[in-house]
Amino acid sequence: MGKGSVPRRTTTAVGIAVVTLIGGAAAIAAPATASSVASGQAAASTASHHVHTRHLCGAPKHVRMMSCLAEVRTDVAQPHVFAAHAVSAAATPSGYGPSDLLSAYNLPADGGAGQTVAIVDAQDDPNAESDLATYRSQYGLPACTSDNGCFSKVDENGGTNYPSADSGWAGEISLDLDMVSAIAPEAHIVLVEADSANMTDLGTAVNQAVSMGAKFVSNSYGGSEDSSDLSADSSYFNHPGVAITVSAGDSAYGAEYPASSQYVTSVGGTSLTKDSSSRGWSESVWSTSSTEGTGSGCSAFEPKPAWQTDSGCANRTVADVSAVADPATGVAVYDSYGASGWQVYGGTSAASPIIAGVYADAGAPGSGDYPAQYPYQHTDALNDVTSGSNGSCDPSYLCTAGTGYDGPTGLGTPNGLTAFTAG
């Protein structure tokens, strides 16, 4: 979640040098390019605290209010895009693109065919479809538009009475749409916009997504747990046969709702870096500071699902699996509503739609299944993340990565589709 009182995002100039203060004096840093960001990402596990970020959404002020869980890099200058066209190859956007993510997670380039993935967020992004078109054009992905039937946008009741626009949530929407596109480029996408960030409205939007036939529903938001969560579970998240993914949180160690729901796949966050290993990539727990990093922990209210067997938490443990979330190793996103176009985003908001896309690549879940159980049936088909911590806790596995299951990264990150496949 956002920290304290966080200002709304403002448009940042693009294509200029980034000014930072070193020892009290202004220093000019050259604009980051894709290659410079990629090379810098090799040391991301230790350099996260050096990057400058801003939360897209402020912290919730009331119980049952949610915050989007996206962060934007404010220290990366991106190329301009004119007339909604893709930028040139010489000015590739910074941040990981689809080919990077598919390589890191051993995924097919044509995944998602015949499937529908829903994105649930609050407020309206008026530029959602046009921004999505720019992202997909830039990376050579097939067009996904309302005209060709691939993309649709509805309000929480399935109509076109969209809520008021909000630049923070619009950035979240762009991140979610782009990550599903990167991972499952052949899937149809439904964007369901809730009237507000209240759990009741967001839950209504989840139900709407399922009613429209989506078998995969990504939720990149969270808030404090409370005693009403079990009621929300039964009202909004108990959908057998649907893979519902939820971001684990961006405030470091501690469980949030709805990631702690017994019916969802809770998705933690990693730092993802290129290396010389046989995989070509390595990952560690995303942790920037004591108050910023992937969420994890033991739920105060949610019962433990039958397939989760860790012994240090009698209730539901967060998370189940994980994917890249560290803004220092962030992903490229195109967002033009209140933003300047190409951005580098992070937060567990990136991880949830990535995992939803992986589920879509793997095919429809069993009709009576809770797909969160699938990774537990195929633990050897994941990349086990064994380094890093997001805080201090007892028992230590709830906040510290190690061999096998741990709280911050769950069972690990995708290594192909087996761990997300029915049966």
Side-chain angles (χ1 to χ4, degrees), residues 214-289:
K215 297 297 183 184
F216 316 92
V217 183
S218 178
N219 303 268
S220 293
Y221 53 84
S224 299
E225 292 191 300
D226 69 77
S227 58
S228 68
D229 292 346
L230 296 181
S231 175
D233 269 359
S234 60
S235 296
Y236 309 127
F237 294 108
N238 188 3
H239 291 289
V242 180
I244 301 177
T245 63
V246 183
S247 303
D250 293 352
S251 299
Y253 178 66
E256 293 186 359
Y257 189 81
S260 60
S261 169
Q262 60 190 303
Y263 299 121
V264 310
T265 300
S266 176
V267 186
T270 68
S271 297
L272 173 69
T273 62
K274 293 183 178 180
D275 66 14
S276 59
S277 67
S278 58
R279 177 188 171 193
W281 301 84
S282 61
E283 289 177 276
S284 61
V285 174
W286 167 41
S287 179
T288 301
S289 70

Side-chain angles (χ1 to χ4, degrees), residues 340-380:
S340 55
W342 288 106
Q343 308 285 333
V344 175
Y345 281 167
T348 52
S349 277
S352 177
I354 287 173
I355 296 300
V358 176
Y359 273 115
D361 291 352
S367 60
D369 291 350
Y370 292 100
Q373 68 187 296
Y374 295 164
Y376 292 86
Q377 299 166 351
H378 303 281
T379 58
D380 59 345

Side-chain angles (χ1 to χ4, degrees), residues 187-205:
H188 286 197
I189 304 175
V190 177
L191 170 61
V192 187
E193 297 182 333
D195 289 348
S196 77
N198 185 281
M199 189 65 254
T200 299
D201 285 323
L202 288 163
T204 298

Side-chain angles (χ1 to χ4, degrees), residues 30 123 207 213 251 302 346:
Q123 309 306 137
N207 288 344
S251 299
E302 290 283 338

Side-chain angles (χ1 to χ4, degrees), residues 52-99:
H52 298 278
T53 65
R54 179 169 59 248
H55 294 273
L56 296 191
C57 298
K61 294 180 171 60
H62 306 287
V63 174
R64 296 183 63 78
M65 292 296 291
M66 302 289 129
S67 174
C68 74
L69 296 169
E71 297 187 25
V72 59
R73 288 276 299 271
T74 59
D75 56 356
V76 177
Q78 294 275 36
H80 277 295
V81 174
F82 297 99
H85 294 303
V87 300
S88 69
T92 302
S94 299
Y96 289 140
S99 62

Side-chain angles (χ1 to χ4, degrees), residues 69-413:
L69 296 169
E71 297 187 25
V72 59
R73 288 276 299 271
T74 59
D75 56 356
V76 177
Q78 294 275 36
H80 277 295
V81 174
F82 297 99
H85 294 303
V87 300
S88 69
T92 302
S94 299
Y96 289 140
S99 62
D100 298 308
L101 298 173
L102 298 182
S103 169
Y105 297 129
N106 190 25
L107 301 173
D110 58 353
Q115 308 300 335
T116 297
V117 181
I119 298 296
V120 170
D121 283 308
Q123 309 306 137
D124 180 38
D125 177 4
N127 299 352
E129 185 170 358
S130 59
D131 284 357
L132 177 63
T134 300
Y135 179 88
R136 295 178 73 107
S137 174
Q138 172 64 35
Y139 292 108
L141 305 178
C144 187
T145 68
S146 53
D147 286 343
N148 69 13
C150 174
F151 175 77
S152 59
K153 183 175 87 169
V154 299
D155 62 37
E156 68 180 52
N157 298 307
T160 56
N161 185 26
Y162 304 123
S164 60
D166 179 89
S167 62
W169 280 96
E172 175 63 65
I173 289 169
S174 291
L175 171 60
D176 294 343
L177 293 175
D178 291 355
M179 290 305 95
V180 170
S181 297
I183 302 300
E186 298 292 338
H188 286 197
I189 304 175
V190 177
L191 170 61
V192 187
E193 297 182 333
D195 289 348
S196 77
N198 185 281
M199 189 65 254
T200 299
D201 285 323
L202 288 163
T204 298
V206 171
N207 288 344
Q208 179 61 42
V210 175
S211 74
M212 294 176 69
K215 297 297 183 184
F216 316 92
V217 183
S218 178
N219 303 268
S220 293
Y221 53 84
S224 299
E225 292 191 300
D226 69 77
S227 58
S228 68
D229 292 346
L230 296 181
S231 175
D233 269 359
S234 60
S235 296
Y236 309 127
F237 294 108
N238 188 3
H239 291 289
V242 180
I244 301 177
T245 63
V246 183
S247 303
D250 293 352
S251 299
Y253 178 66
E256 293 186 359
Y257 189 81
S260 60
S261 169
Q262 60 190 303
Y263 299 121
V264 310
T265 300
S266 176
V267 186
T270 68
S271 297
L272 173 69
T273 62
K274 293 183 178 180
D275 66 14
S276 59
S277 67
S278 58
R279 177 188 171 193
W281 301 84
S282 61
E283 289 177 276
S284 61
V285 174
W286 167 41
S287 179
T288 301
S289 70
S290 61
T291 58
E292 185 173 335
T294 184
S296 71
C298 184
S299 173
F301 302 101
E302 290 283 338
K304 200 173 205 67
W307 55 86
Q308 196 173 55
T309 60
D310 60 298
S311 60
C313 172
N315 290 341
R316 171 71 154 113
T317 310
V318 175
D320 296 310
V321 292
S322 51
V324 61
D326 188 350
T329 65
V331 296
V333 171
Y334 191 79
D335 170 24
S336 69
Y337 186 73
S340 55
W342 288 106
Q343 308 285 333
V344 175
Y345 281 167
T348 52
S349 277
S352 177
I354 287 173
I355 296 300
V358 176
Y359 273 115
D361 291 352
S367 60
D369 291 350
Y370 292 100
Q373 68 187 296
Y374 295 164
Y376 292 86
Q377 299 166 351
H378 303 281
T379 58
D380 59 345
L382 294 152
N383 300 305
D384 191 9
V385 181
T386 59
S387 64
S389 174
N390 65 349
S392 300
C393 63
D394 184 23
S396 63
Y397 80 90
L398 294 176
C399 62
T400 302
T403 301
Y405 180 84
D406 58 73
T409 67
L411 296 165
T413 63

